């Protein structure tokens, strides 16, 4: 039966208890009970929510000076964290927090109701105030007793930023009670934002999250200090602490839960589709007006706005060093097992790094300006290699590849890859001596040849990254050169080329890599040239690819003998690095969340041509006019136009191995001819024509079977004037689009759902944004 809202004795029992924790609240308030109240006595649930918010508002007003008040605030906070998901899962209740509560205008008169705030706004503003509450969540600046306590409304929260870093130089004394209180409030904030989980994924990116929208608007007077506090707390965190081995086993680290919560709140508030809005232009200013503080241009979301306007070098340095330190943490190998603390929130960090690069182009250029970018690259390659066999970590694979795709659109990234790779992070890849470019190619080869089936949609992306960096790679190692040729061999088998409508694109990408290196970096790349000469039959087979129906059918039959999509035979893998463990599949029963499909590579990227002076100009998509000279290697049209294929793309990818059996699409001679005639083989054929006779002559003359002599000859050889006119360098740059924005939203919330297990905030509620699956 409904309980009167005025019956304080009844309602107070919900938050008066002193010794509770958030885990207690979850145990004491079971899901079935919340749902029962929601169905059978909705007015009681409404009153409970309203009363709990009222207590938070009162706490924020008074400044929580007594222990009792703080306890009430924390208990209301835990209770709301528990209840909110059950409000969101019921469409009839979803508007409840956005309605005004009758009589909430305090005076009880009608005119008060007009300007009463919706419950959601009162809640969010109270939480924001409480996050800067002296002696509760921040250090008090007053030294005297309670009677001169600071008035919470007169304090300037910018003086109470939680940690030194961007825009704040003073590092407050760490206080674990404050850290715990902040963590509980941020958990509630995250739960408020999680309404997004209860709406199905839609391509319409205009449906912004009303909770995030309000919290990150000018209505929140703490937006700037809170954004800065969250960013600084994450980037300043050093999990290794004082470097004492086993330190983390002796002392509970109160900072880590706060850092995790801060990272999660940060990426959710930055969930913003930059493809549909006035986003900052390349130089970091926003489109339209110059930067002026009076009326900030660009997004109304202040967190996105502040992020896009960070510009001081030392701020960039602080952020980059912090993110790199945390991403490298799982790789830190110590001689004492388990002696160093391993963080678990690398996926949130990758999303944060992505947002930083996507919203702040100046930051992106700063990252690429020095070899510090390699401190981000190596951990990403480590995660990609480690997760390649694990179905539950497909999302991690995607975000790692997206970040590398974004970076590879900039010339500097390719140039940086030439730095020798000396750090020996244990990875189960062949031992090699070479550069970071070699590491990247070897890891990509490993993903393609020994990852699981669901990674096939990423092959285009992986090879696009290699194409983007290829014109700048000064000297590939023999191991990496052989890996590239092994991929070409695998992708140019007839059954693979004929078994799905877009498989031949992979061959075009690889040929483009070889052409870029031969035309622009011939001098240092004798290893690659030697590998091309050794495997010359692959190129001849491609040039003579049969196009008659009978051969096509025969090619498809051959597949029966090779069950693996790509056999690992004849790829000399050699010994793996010392101390590495093979990539393991997911434990059976591991929970994972589903992801929406990602756009095809043609939607993900847009082509730019690099001019003589190194500047890029965007190419019109699929220009209709033919290339200026007939004999130009057809790098410009890397295959035919992509349009009309994307609808097939998804479907074909899924049935890559059984394409023709379902009878939906079968290869025809015309189709094979349509792309075979465009294979950019001229440069390589010319190279073989010139060099093969010379190499054979050396072998005959000197009776050589020794590679080193041939390599020496190739090092000093030159093809100047013998190759076709160099083709323009084409870079496929990542472009923001609503498809990836939606992918990021489902991925990010999926990670947050799975990572919040203690307490399990959303577990067993009716989430719509993704499905929860077991491996």
């Amino acid at each position: 039966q409904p309980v009167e809202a005025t019956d304080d004795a009844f309602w107070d029992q919900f938050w008066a208890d002193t010794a509770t924790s958030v885990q207690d609240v979850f145990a004491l308030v079971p899901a079935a009970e919340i749902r029962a109240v929601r169905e059978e006595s909705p007015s009681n649930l409404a009153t409970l929510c309203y009363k709990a918010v009222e207590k938070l508002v009162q706490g924020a007003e008074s400044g929580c000076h007594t222990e009792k008040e703080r306890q009430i605030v924390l208990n209301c906070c835990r209770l709301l964290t528990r209840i909110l998901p059950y409000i969101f899962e019921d469409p009839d209740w979803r508007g409840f927090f956005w309605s005004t509560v009758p009589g909430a205008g305090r005076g009880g008169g009608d005119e008060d109701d007009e300007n009463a705030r919706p419950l959601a706004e009162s809640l969010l503003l109270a939480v924001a105030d409480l996050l800067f509450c002296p002696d509760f969540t921040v250090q008090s600046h007053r030294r005297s007793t309670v009677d001169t306590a600071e008035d919470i409304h007169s304090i300037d929260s910018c003086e109470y930023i939680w940690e030194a870093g961007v825009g704040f130089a003073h590092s407050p004394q760490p206080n674990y009670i404050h850290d715990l209180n902040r963590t509980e409030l941020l958990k509630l904030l995250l739960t408020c934002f999680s309404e997004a989980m209860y709406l199905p994924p839609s391509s319409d990116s205009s449906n912004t999250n009303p909770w995030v929208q309000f919290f990150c608007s000018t209505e929140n007077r703490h937006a700037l200090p809170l954004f800065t506090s969250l960013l600084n707390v994450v980037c300043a965190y050093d999990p290794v602490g004082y470097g004492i081995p086993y330190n983390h086993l002796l002392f509970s680290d109160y900072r880590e839960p706060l850092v995790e919560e801060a990272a999660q709140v940060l990426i959710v508030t930055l969930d913003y589709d930059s493809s549909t809005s006035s986003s900052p232009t390349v130089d970091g200013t926003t489109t339209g007006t110059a930067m002026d503080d009076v009326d900030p241009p660009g997004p109304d979301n202040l967190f996105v706005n502040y992020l896009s306007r960070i510009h001081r070098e030392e701020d960039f340095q602080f952020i980059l060093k912090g993110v790199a330190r945390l991403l490298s943490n799982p790789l830190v190998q110590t001689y004492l097992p388990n002696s160093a603390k391993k963080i678990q929130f690398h996926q949130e960090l990758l999303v944060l790094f992505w947002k930083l690069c996507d919203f702040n182009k100046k930051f992106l250029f700063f990252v690429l300006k020095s070899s510090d970018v390699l401190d981000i690259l190596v951990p990403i390659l480590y995660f990609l290699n480690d997760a390649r066999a694990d179905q539950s970590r497909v999302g991690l694979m995607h975000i790692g590849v997206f970040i590398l795709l974004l970076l590879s659109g900039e010339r500097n990234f390719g140039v940086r890859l030439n730095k020798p790779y000396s750090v020996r992070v244990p990875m189960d890849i062949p031992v090699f001596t070479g550069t970071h470019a070699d590491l990247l190619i070897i890891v990509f080869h490993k993903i393609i040849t020994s990852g699981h089936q669901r990674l096939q949609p990423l092959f285009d992306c992986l090879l696009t990254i290699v194409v983007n960096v290829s014109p700048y790679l000064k000297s590939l190692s023999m191991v990496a050169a052989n890996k590239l040729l092994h991929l070409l061999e695998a992708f140019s088998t007839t059954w693979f080329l004929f078994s799905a409508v877009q498989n031949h694109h992979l061959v075009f990408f690889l040929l483009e890599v070889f052409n870029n290196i031969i035309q622009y970096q011939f001098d240092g790349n004798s290893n690659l040239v030697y590998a091309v000469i050794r495997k010359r039959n692959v190129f001849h087979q491609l040039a003579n690819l049969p196009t008659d129906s009978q051969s096509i059918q025969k090619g498809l039959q051959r597949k029966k003998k090779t069950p693996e999509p790509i056999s690992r035979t004849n790829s000399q893998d050699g010994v793996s690095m010392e101390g590495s463990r093979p990539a393991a599949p997911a434990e059976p029963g591991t929970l994972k969340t589903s992801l929406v499909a990602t756009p095809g590579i043609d939607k993900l990227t847009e082509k730019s041509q690099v001019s003589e002076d190194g500047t890029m100009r965007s190419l019109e998509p699929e220009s209709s006019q033919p290339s200026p000279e007939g004999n130009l290697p057809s790098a410009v049209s890397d295959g035919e136009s992509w349009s009309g294929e994307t609808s097939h793309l998804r479907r074909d990818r899924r049935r890559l191995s059984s394409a023709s059996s379902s009878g939906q699409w079968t290869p025809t001679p015309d189709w094979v001819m349509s792309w075979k005639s465009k294979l950019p083989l001229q440069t390589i054929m010319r190279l073989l024509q010139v060099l093969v006779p010379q190499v054979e002559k050396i072998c005959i003359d000197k009776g050589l079977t020794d590679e080193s002599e041939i390599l020496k000859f190739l090092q000093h050889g030159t093809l100047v004037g013998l190759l076709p006119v160099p083709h323009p360098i084409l870079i496929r740059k990542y472009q923001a689009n609503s498809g990836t924005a939606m992918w990021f939203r489902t991925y990010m919330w999926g990670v947050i759902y799975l990572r919040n297990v203690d307490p399990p905030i959303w577990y067993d509620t009716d989430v719509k944004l993704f499905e929860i699956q077991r491996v």
Side-chain angles (χ1 to χ4, degrees):
Q1 67 282 12
V3 181
E4 282 301 311
T6 47
D7 182 355
D8 284 342
F10 175 79
W11 297 109
D12 283 349
Q13 63 185 359
F14 285 98
W15 30 81
D17 197 6
T18 46
T20 49
S21 67
V22 67
Q23 286 78 5
D24 295 340
V25 172
F26 272 66
L28 291 169
V29 186
E33 223 164 278
I34 304 175
R35 289 193 175 112
V37 174
R38 187 182 69 195
E39 305 311 322
E40 288 147 32
S41 39
S43 67
N44 284 355
L45 184 59
T47 307
L48 182 63
C49 291
Y50 159 58
K51 285 281 190 189
V53 172
E54 186 181 49
K55 287 289 174 200
L56 289 180
V57 172
Q58 285 168 5
E61 297 277 326
S62 72
C64 287
H65 296 306
T66 65
E67 195 47 52
K68 185 174 178 229
E69 282 178 282
R70 289 174 201 159
Q71 202 52 55
I72 289 176
V73 162
L74 289 173
N75 282 340
C76 290
C77 191
R78 293 159 187 161
L79 193 65
L80 286 166
T81 303
R82 180 60 169 145
I83 294 172
L84 274 167
Y86 296 92
I87 299 237
F88 294 151
E89 75 174 358
D90 184 337
D92 298 338
W93 275 84
R94 216 164 279 149
F96 168 70
F97 270 86
W98 293 97
S99 57
T100 47
V101 177
R106 291 288 177 283
D110 289 340
E111 67 284 357
D112 269 345
D113 282 349
E114 291 306 301
N115 50 26
R117 279 193 179 281
L119 203 51
E121 296 188 2
S122 307
L123 171 56
L124 290 171
L125 293 176
V127 171
D129 277 340
L130 288 164
L131 285 167
F132 292 98
C133 183
D135 287 327
F136 180 52
T137 48
V138 291
Q139 208 73 46
S140 171
H141 291 186
R142 295 276 171 88
R143 290 280 160 267
S144 55
T145 53
V146 180
D147 18 287
T148 57
E150 288 149 290
D151 171 24
I152 193 152
H153 289 285
S154 62
I155 70 169
D156 174 7
S157 45
C158 284
E159 294 171 14
Y160 290 86
I161 288 171
W162 300 350
E163 186 56 77
V166 176
F168 194 66
H170 165 68
S171 186
Q173 216 24 63
N175 179 322
Y176 82 94
I177 300 282
H178 293 173
D179 277 1
L180 291 174
N181 295 341
R182 292 165 178 173
T183 306
E184 298 230 33
L185 286 160
L186 290 179
K187 225 185 247 322
L188 172 57
L189 202 50
L190 196 59
T191 311
C192 291
F193 296 158
S194 72
E195 186 179 353
M197 280 196 213
Y198 297 89
L199 302 170
S202 73
S203 51
D204 174 24
S205 45
S206 61
N207 52 9
T208 41
N209 184 330
W211 296 84
V212 173
Q213 197 177 6
F214 179 79
F215 191 77
C216 300
S217 72
T218 46
E219 295 273 349
N220 178 1
R221 70 188 184 99
H222 303 294
L224 178 59
L226 190 58
F227 167 75
T228 315
S229 295
L230 295 172
L231 185 62
N232 291 353
V233 156
V234 173
C235 294
Y237 179 56
D238 183 1
V240 181
Y242 305 106
I244 308 162
Y246 300 106
N247 197 15
H248 66 107
L249 300 180
L250 305 177
F251 306 101
S252 168
D253 177 354
Y254 294 99
R255 229 338 115 96
E256 189 180 23
L258 174 66
V259 174
E260 284 203 13
E261 216 65 52
Q264 292 178 358
V265 168
L266 205 48
I267 60 178
V268 169
T269 49
L270 295 170
D271 175 21
Y272 181 79
D273 182 359
S274 55
S275 66
T276 55
S277 46
S278 65
S279 62
T281 48
V282 171
D283 58 354
T285 56
T286 334
T287 38
T289 49
M291 233 191 252
D292 49 50
D293 288 329
V294 196
D295 181 16
D300 306 327
N301 176 328
L302 291 179
F303 279 34
V304 175
N305 200 330
Y306 297 142
L307 184 78
S308 67
R309 289 165 49 174
I310 297 171
H311 59 275
R312 288 179 25 215
E313 294 261 309
E314 53 269 46
D315 289 344
F316 286 157
Q317 189 60 35
F318 165 74
I319 294 171
L320 181 58
K321 278 274 182 276
V323 173
R325 176 176 58 239
L326 291 169
L327 283 177
S328 313
N329 163 270
L331 288 61
V332 175
Q333 290 296 323
T334 47
Y335 294 106
L336 303 164
N338 303 324
S339 63
K341 187 180 182 72
K342 291 247 191 288
I343 60 158
Q344 300 299 320
F345 55 99
H346 48 274
Q347 300 195 82
E348 292 92 323
L349 285 166
L350 290 172
V351 176
L352 178 61
F353 182 75
W354 169 270
K355 301 272 180 202
L356 281 157
C357 294
D358 196 20
F359 295 153
N360 190 325
K361 286 293 172 267
K362 283 185 174 166
F363 177 73
L364 176 63
F365 297 146
F366 176 84
V367 169
L368 292 164
K369 204 173 67 176
S370 73
S371 50
D372 288 350
V373 65
L374 303 175
D375 299 337
I376 300 283
L377 170 77
V378 173
I380 289 178
L381 291 175
Y382 172 86
F383 293 132
L384 290 177
N385 188 56
D386 188 54
R388 67 176 193 268
D390 184 341
Q391 295 255 358
S392 69
R393 293 198 281 168
V394 180
L396 171 62
M397 297 293 294
H398 276 77
I399 186 161
V401 172
F402 282 159
I403 289 174
L404 298 183
L405 180 65
L406 181 72
L407 294 174
S408 75
E410 306 298 332
R411 173 182 176 273
N412 265 353
F413 182 64
V415 174
R416 299 281 160 238
L417 289 178
N418 290 308
K419 188 175 175 181
Y421 176 68
S422 49
V423 253
R424 287 278 170 249
V425 175
M427 290 159 87
D428 68 323
I429 52 172
V431 178
F432 71 97
T433 306
T435 65
H436 284 75
D438 295 308
L439 177 69
L440 178 125
I441 288 168
I442 292 166
V443 169
F444 283 10
H445 173 270
K446 230 359 184 199
I447 294 168
I448 292 172
T449 55
S450 64
H452 56 78
Q453 286 284 301
R454 293 193 47 209
L455 297 180
Q456 273 169 348
L458 282 176
F459 290 1
D460 280 346
C461 266
L462 291 168
L463 293 187
T464 299
I465 294 164
V466 181
V467 173
N468 282 347
V469 301
S470 59
Y472 311 111
L473 303 184
K474 292 201 171 4
S475 165
L476 286 184
S477 70
M478 192 59 98
V479 180
N482 284 335
K483 296 298 177 204
L484 285 176
L485 277 141
H486 175 241
L487 287 179
L488 183 70
E489 228 176 331
F491 289 148
S492 58
T493 58
T494 47
W495 83 259
F496 185 78
L497 284 173
F498 297 158
S499 66
V501 70
Q502 76 304 323
N503 283 355
H504 61 276
H505 292 275
L506 300 172
V507 169
F508 276 84
F509 284 139
L510 283 164
L511 291 175
E512 202 175 329
V513 170
F514 297 136
N515 287 340
N516 282 341
I517 293 178
I518 292 166
Q519 287 281 19
Y520 291 99
Q521 298 290 349
F522 180 82
D523 285 352
N525 273 299
S526 51
N527 288 331
L528 182 77
V529 173
Y530 178 62
V532 167
I533 291 174
R534 270 190 46 220
K535 293 279 184 190
R536 56 189 178 276
N537 61 324
V538 181
F539 299 98
H540 290 302
Q541 277 165 7
L542 267 174
N544 301 318
L545 191 73
T547 54
D548 57 291
S549 315
Q550 204 180 351
S551 307
I552 293 176
Q553 283 316 309
K554 215 162 87 187
L556 287 169
Q557 294 307 307
R558 228 174 264 167
K559 195 238 148 179
K560 308 255 189 312
K561 299 191 198 97
T562 44
E564 281 280 300
I566 294 168
S567 70
R568 273 188 285 170
T569 49
N570 73 16
S571 156
Q572 300 84 15
D573 246 14
V575 192
S576 277
M577 293 175 64
E578 192 183 342
S580 67
R581 290 194 308 278
E587 291 285 314
T590 308
L591 287 180
K592 66 187 180 80
T593 52
S594 63
L595 292 163
V596 291
T598 49
I601 192 73
D602 53 319
K603 296 268 191 301
L604 267 181
T605 55
E606 100 189 315
K607 291 181 187 167
S608 304
Q609 195 168 310
V610 181
S611 326
E612 304 287 297
D613 58 358
T615 55
M616 291 195 193
R617 60 184 188 83
S618 194
L619 287 181
E620 289 310 302
E622 288 312 330
S623 48
S624 47
Q625 74 273 15
S627 42
E629 300 152 295
N631 68 349
L632 208 90
S634 67
V636 181
S637 60
D638 61 279
E640 57 305 337
S641 94
W642 289 68
S643 55
E645 285 193 356
T646 36
S647 52
H648 289 311
L649 213 64
R650 282 267 86 72
R651 207 166 53 228
D652 283 316
R653 289 242 186 254
R654 270 198 299 261
R655 49 189 192 85
L656 189 63
S657 9
S658 61
S660 47
S661 57
S662 51
Q664 284 197 307
W665 172 84
T666 43
T668 62
D670 287 351
W671 172 78
V672 178
M673 277 306 297
S674 73
W675 54 262
K676 180 190 165 181
S677 60
K678 299 201 185 98
L679 283 167
L681 286 165
Q682 300 88 321
T683 302
I684 294 168
M685 288 308 187
R686 187 80 187 109
L687 172 135
L688 292 173
Q689 205 183 341
V690 175
L691 292 179
V692 170
Q694 299 183 359
V695 170
E696 283 175 343
K697 187 173 182 310
I698 295 177
C699 292
I700 294 164
D701 291 356
K702 304 214 168 134
L704 270 183
T705 48
D706 180 24
E707 292 187 353
S708 56
E709 282 290 325
I710 301 169
L711 283 168
K712 203 174 292 171
F713 162 72
L714 291 173
Q715 264 158 13
H716 302 300
T718 173
L719 292 175
V720 173
L722 297 171
L723 291 176
V725 184
H727 55 278
I729 295 175
L730 269 187
I731 302 293
R732 292 171 186 77
K733 288 173 79 97
Y734 166 82
Q735 53 170 355
N737 60 74
S738 49
T740 33
M742 195 63 234
W743 184 89
F744 270 98
R745 185 173 303 163
T746 51
Y747 170 60
M748 167 182 82
W749 279 114
V751 169
I752 291 172
Y753 177 97
L754 292 173
R755 300 256 300 105
N756 282 275
V757 285
D758 184 28
I761 302 183
W762 299 282
Y763 188 69
D764 256 358
T765 57
D766 187 14
V767 173
K768 294 277 194 306
L769 184 62
F770 44 77
E771 291 166 26
I772 292 94
Q773 302 158 336
R774 284 191 187 277
V775 174

